[in-house]
Structures are given as structure tokens and as C-alpha cells.
Amino acid sequence: MSQESCTVYRYPADKVHILFHIPTGLSDCIKAWSWNYHRIINRYESTVMAQFAGHTHNDELEIFYDEVDRTRPVAITYVGLSVTPFSYLNPGYRIFEVDGFYDGSTYAILNHFNTIANLSDANLKGALQWYREYDAKSAYGMSSLNPTDWGELIDDLKKDNALFQKFYQYYTKSYDGRPPCQGNCKEELIRRMKSSRSYEN
């Protein structure tokens, strides 16, 4: 995506969602591309209402911070679940509630709802059953899912270990055999969510 291709959307009423595969903060993403993309998102923060990525199979997110004020969140990438279980994960999918489609809609993400299947339970019973794991606003006590609120939640994860462990449970889609995450694991997971540029740290 080039800045030229974004220019057509740079009108106050225009809102877009962007879908891509590799989250821009991972080392799997080419550094130059990642950093240039970050500049584009900063420039069009009032136009890009949400971003969606995959690749990791985990339930996580990346926060984009202002290029000048590095404490101000400007955008979110929702890193989606996968139906593929992968290592230490249950299969799952997410449904987003979006403010739209009407004149003046913000197209902001209002909430999201995760549905998973428990593989341990399925192996015992011989059948796969899907159930609602959580919705973001209820699980985290959030009034909205805007970048500022997500930034505050990530900061709270550093201080509140019970909240972090709940987040980590959802990160694995409530996989029964998930390894523990404390110390360096916790710090690295939080650091990843606070960085949307590859090779930043």
C-alpha cells in the first residue's frame, strides 16, 4: 500500500478497514515495509478504523503509537484467531461488532466475540463442540475498544497479574495444556503488543 493509494480515502467521511497476513510488529515482517506502513497509519489515523492480521494463530493485538507522542495510541491491529489449532492452542474464530452501515457511521469496532472448541474435551467425548469463550468488553471491563482503551488495558496487564493471566488464557484460546507465562514470557508478550514496527526493540 502506498501513500498515493491512500490519498483517495483522506476525506473526513471515508473510513477503511485493512486486512493483511503478517502483523507489522513481528520480525517476520520486512523492517522497511513495517516502518513505512506505520507512518501511513499515523498519517491516516482518522481514516483507518481497524486493521486485521493473522499469521500467529494467537488471540492478540498490536498497538500503533503516535510517531511524535510515543505514549498516545492511534490505531489497533487485531491479530486473529485461527481454526487451525497449531501448538498449544485450541481452534477458534472471532466475530466483530462494527458501527456501520449507515450515514455518518464511524465503522469503529464496538466489540468482538470469540468462539472456540476445546480439543481436550473433544478428544475425550469424540465430538468437537464450539462455544463462546468471551467478548472483549465484558471480559476486560472496557467501555470501548478504541486505541486509548486498549493502551490502558495493556498497561494494566503489567501491574495486574490476574488480569494478565486471563489475557494469556485467551491468547491460547483457553488451551488446557498451555505452558505458564510469567517473568520474561510476560514481559515479551506485553512488549510485542506495544510495538507495531518490526525490529523496533
Side-chain angles (χ1 to χ4, degrees), residues 116-130:
I116 65 167
N118 186 308
L119 290 182
S120 301
D121 190 53
N123 288 330
L124 288 172
K125 296 180 179 175
L128 193 66
Q129 294 195 335
W130 295 91

Side-chain angles (χ1 to χ4, degrees), residues 98-116:
V98 180
D99 178 36
F101 178 77
Y102 59 88
D103 286 343
S105 168
T106 66
Y107 291 93
I109 302 300
L110 301 177
N111 203 358
H112 68 68
F113 305 86
N114 285 15
T115 298
I116 65 167

Side-chain angles (χ1 to χ4, degrees), residues 23-123:
T24 59
L26 294 183
S27 60
D28 296 355
C29 188
I30 297 169
K31 181 177 180 180
W33 190 94
S34 170
W35 285 58
N36 284 324
Y37 180 79
H38 193 278
R39 288 186 194 102
I40 292 170
I41 295 301
N42 263 250
R43 181 177 177 187
Y44 296 97
E45 68 172 282
S46 62
T47 300
V48 179
M49 302 313 294
Q51 304 164 84
F52 307 93
H55 191 62
T56 71
H57 299 249
N58 295 99
D59 175 359
E60 55 186 316
L61 56 96
E62 287 182 346
I63 300 179
F64 285 64
Y65 286 90
D66 186 282
E67 299 243 294
V68 177
D69 178 0
R70 295 284 295 148
T71 64
R72 186 177 74 86
V74 298
I76 297 293
T77 295
Y78 293 97
V79 183
L81 293 68
S82 65
V83 177
T84 309
F86 211 56
S87 300
Y88 303 111
L89 301 173
N90 281 316
Y93 63 89
R94 174 179 292 161
I95 296 173
F96 289 92
E97 180 184 359
V98 180
D99 178 36
F101 178 77
Y102 59 88
D103 286 343
S105 168
T106 66
Y107 291 93
I109 302 300
L110 301 177
N111 203 358
H112 68 68
F113 305 86
N114 285 15
T115 298
I116 65 167
N118 186 308
L119 290 182
S120 301
D121 190 53
N123 288 330

